[in-house]
Structure formats: structure tokens, C-alpha cells
Amino acid sequence: MNPLKQEIAAAIAHDGPMTLEHFMSLCLGHPLHGYYMTRDPFGAGGDFITAPEISQMFGELIGVWASEAWRAAGSPSPARLIELGPGRGTLMSDVLRVARISPQFLDAITAHLVEMSPALRDIQRQTLASAAKPVDWATDFAHTPHGPAFILANEFFDALPVRHFVKTIGGWRERLVGLDAGGELAFGLSDRVEPTLTAAAREGSIIEVCPAGQRLMGDIAARLVAEGGAMLVIDYGYTQTSLGDSLQAVARHTYVDPLSAPGEADLTAHVDFAALGRAARAQGAKVMGPVTQAHFLLQLGIERRAQSLSKKATPEQAEEIASAFDRLTGTQDPRRHMGALFKVMAVTHPDMPDLPGFFV
């Protein structure tokens, strides 16, 4: 039993079962043993690969989008370029590099990364050491500077902890993490029936909600409405709220039991884009999308960019470019292709015109 599992088991033995939300928070963010606090999980040598690591084309197009959103907002200066959960810093590096072709945008922005992990902050500093703009760090969005903001969130909301409610004969009960007869971590249900949940469903059905994601989206939308700007959310998930359990744990590119080794596997859940949209609209923000990642990237011109890069590439490089294009925009196999599984949504000030990537 690893140290975090021992700590969680001791807490449960003393205080009783904990919510899945609390369990996920400990697994991912425990200051000593949390998954994101102690390691670099990205890339072929880690546990998963994100789009910015697949190809520079992804980050370049996001940079173009941010610049266009800034112009559509009236070219405010100063403005904030903020990334939530920036991984190795690869996306911000590509965005700032392509921003050089838009000097007014580059001059207007200050760059900020929201990152709780000391280990990843060190990697990000190395990645961005020669970036076109200096970068500041904050541990949460509330500590970023105010002003018109252009916010990027690529594979961020999927890592926020969720709660599960299971339909029983007596009503909806929350899923908890407790201990079985052998002292191992095990799922169970609260004795308490949730009186506010009245959805009709079969016994055993699950409602999955992400309170942290909805709260954060509400806070961001409120700031965009008050101060201007736009947010781009890119993640895997659903366009409509529905029943189901999407919790998954991944280690070394392989699915594992989420209770087996707390802190040693990435825990995520599919993003409910409809719920995020409702949270944003409740604050008066405008919501565009969600659209598929394939739709978004193709509309921004990824095919032309791939062709341009291929003209200057060696045969091996051209093959890599073609493979990356297929992985980012393909829709046939969700195990390999990101084009349909991943969705893209923009949240903006209510007066913002429609932005590239979301044109019908």
C-alpha cells in the first residue's frame, strides 16, 4: 500500500467514507503524494499525450485564435493571456511564438499560467525561458490579474474532481470511497438520500457532476462579462448532459483501477460541456459551440498549415506531420483519433461577435 493509500485508508478508518470528489482531490493534488504534484505525466514516457505535444500546428492555431479574439474584443491594452493547467508549457510556448506575427497583440498582453504543481512549474519555466514574453504563475484563477482576459483551457476541466450519485430503490445516494472487510479501498453508497435529485432513471443509473468545474466556469464568465475577453475550452466530453459514469484512471497509457494506487495514476472524467455552458450563461456570458475539435481546427486552417510545413520537410518529417494531422482531426477511431471525441467551446463577453472555429 503506497503512502497516499495508507493516508486515505487511515482517514476513512477514523472519519468514515469520503466522497469521490474528496478522494480525487487527494489523488491529484495532495501536496506530498498527489499525481500532479510530484511528476511530469506528459508525453510518450509519461501517462498520456496531449494535443500540444502531438504537433506544433495545434498550438499555432490556438495562438491565431487568441489573436483574432483579442481583435474582435476591440484590441484592449493591457490584456491578459491566461492558460489553465498548462502541462509542460508547450501550448503557451507555441502561442507566444506565433504571436510574433501580430506585434500589437504581443505588446498588449501579459502572460500568466495557472499551475498548482511545483514539479510542472519548474518544467514550464524551462520551456518558456526564451519565450517572446515573460510569464507569471498563479496557483489558481482567482489570483490572476484583472483586466480583459483571453483564457485557454486545454484538457483542464477533465482533471477536476467529480461527484457520483447512484439511483437506488429508495432514491439517489452519493457514491463514497470506503474500506472493505480486508481494509482495501472500495466504493460504497451514502446512507443519506439526496432530496434535491429527482431525475427519473433505472436503478443503478449514475449522475456525474463536477461542482468545481461549474463554480470555476461561473467565476470566469463573471469576469469576462465585467471586464471583457474570451475563453477557449478544449477537452474530451459530451455536448449534452446525460446519465453515466466516465471516471477513468490512466497510468503508462493504460487504464487501471482508480482505487488501486492513489496518486500514481491520472484520474479524469469526461467534461459535461452543456453544464459548463449553463454555468457561463447564468453569469450573462455568450457561449459558442461546442463543436468538434476536427471542425474547429479545420476551420482555422490546419490542413493548409500541414501542407505548408510538409513542403519544407524531409520525407520522415512529412510523414510525422501527416500522422499528427490525422490524429488531431480524424474521427474514425476514438482510441487514436481526437477529432470527434474532443470538443471545443468558447465563452465570451456578451457583445463579442462569433469567432473563428465556430462559424456555421
Side-chain angles (χ1 to χ4, degrees):
M1 190 177 287
N2 69 28
L4 182 55
K5 192 172 184 178
Q6 290 179 350
E7 186 173 323
I8 291 173
I12 292 171
H14 185 270
D15 301 323
M18 64 178 60
T19 65
L20 176 59
E21 183 178 34
H22 186 198
F23 174 76
M24 287 185 68
S25 296
L26 291 173
C27 289
L28 299 176
H30 187 283
L32 295 180
H33 310 301
Y35 178 79
Y36 284 112
M37 307 300 279
T38 58
R39 72 194 68 212
D40 173 11
F42 302 96
D47 294 327
F48 55 88
I49 299 176
T50 61
E53 308 290 339
I54 292 172
S55 172
Q56 70 183 69
M57 297 184 291
F58 182 85
E60 289 171 348
L61 292 176
I62 300 305
V64 170
W65 185 91
S67 176
E68 290 301 313
W70 174 77
R71 289 192 182 89
S75 304
S77 183
R80 317 302 181 191
L81 178 65
I82 301 171
E83 185 181 357
L84 309 180
R88 288 176 170 168
T90 305
L91 176 57
M92 181 61 80
S93 177
D94 289 337
V95 168
L96 291 176
R97 177 168 45 79
V98 79
R100 294 177 188 272
I101 66 176
S102 180
Q104 291 179 324
F105 173 61
L106 190 60
D107 289 343
I109 60 171
T110 58
H112 309 270
L113 299 182
V114 176
E115 179 59 70
M116 67 176 182
S117 166
L120 288 175
R121 283 199 296 269
D122 288 342
I123 295 171
Q124 293 154 13
R125 288 189 181 94
Q126 296 173 26
T127 302
L128 294 161
S130 59
K133 297 283 286 192
V135 177
D136 289 332
W137 276 262
T139 55
D140 58 59
F141 175 74
H143 293 153
T144 59
H146 283 262
F150 300 87
I151 304 164
L152 309 175
N154 178 62
E155 291 200 52
F156 172 78
F157 281 92
D158 66 88
L160 297 182
V162 297
R163 298 175 71 183
H164 283 174
F165 298 91
V166 181
K167 182 64 179 295
T168 68
I169 295 176
W172 292 95
R173 301 178 188 271
E174 185 160 13
R175 174 177 278 176
L176 304 177
V177 178
L179 300 175
D180 64 17
E184 291 294 323
L185 298 180
F187 286 121
L189 296 178
S190 170
D191 294 333
R192 179 177 179 270
V193 173
E194 298 292 330
T196 59
L197 290 179
T198 58
R202 288 182 173 184
E203 185 179 350
S205 296
I206 294 175
I207 291 175
E208 184 175 82
V209 296
C210 183
Q214 294 180 36
R215 286 193 300 269
L216 177 59
M217 178 56 78
D219 292 343
I220 291 172
R223 188 187 292 192
L224 294 176
V225 170
E227 302 177 11
M231 179 184 195
L232 191 69
V233 179
I234 306 171
D235 226 313
Y236 57 89
Y238 309 107
T239 58
Q240 298 296 328
T241 300
S242 59
L243 297 173
D245 168 8
S246 70
L247 177 68
Q248 61 187 31
V250 175
R252 298 293 176 181
H253 304 269
T254 301
Y255 292 110
V256 297
D257 180 352
L259 301 181
S260 62
E264 296 180 12
D266 183 33
L267 297 183
T268 64
H270 286 216
V271 174
D272 183 345
F273 279 90
L276 292 183
R278 289 193 295 271
R281 292 187 182 96
Q283 300 298 324
K286 178 177 178 178
V287 176
M288 304 175 201
V291 298
T292 65
Q293 180 171 293
H295 174 100
F296 180 79
L297 293 177
L298 289 168
Q299 195 167 99
L300 285 176
I302 191 172
E303 190 168 13
R304 292 190 300 275
R305 181 59 177 151
Q307 292 170 350
S308 175
L309 289 172
S310 296
K311 289 178 181 178
K312 306 172 185 177
T314 65
E316 293 79 10
Q317 291 170 333
E319 186 175 345
E320 291 178 359
I321 293 167
S323 176
F325 173 82
D326 180 60
R327 187 165 183 185
L328 291 170
T329 64
T331 59
Q332 291 81 16
D333 183 357
R335 295 169 297 179
R336 185 168 65 93
H337 294 137
M338 303 173 71
L341 176 63
F342 280 71
K343 312 297 190 301
V344 187
M345 183 174 78
V347 177
T348 74
H349 185 278
D351 295 336
M352 186 81 81
D354 288 348
L355 294 173
F358 300 96
F359 301 143
V360 177

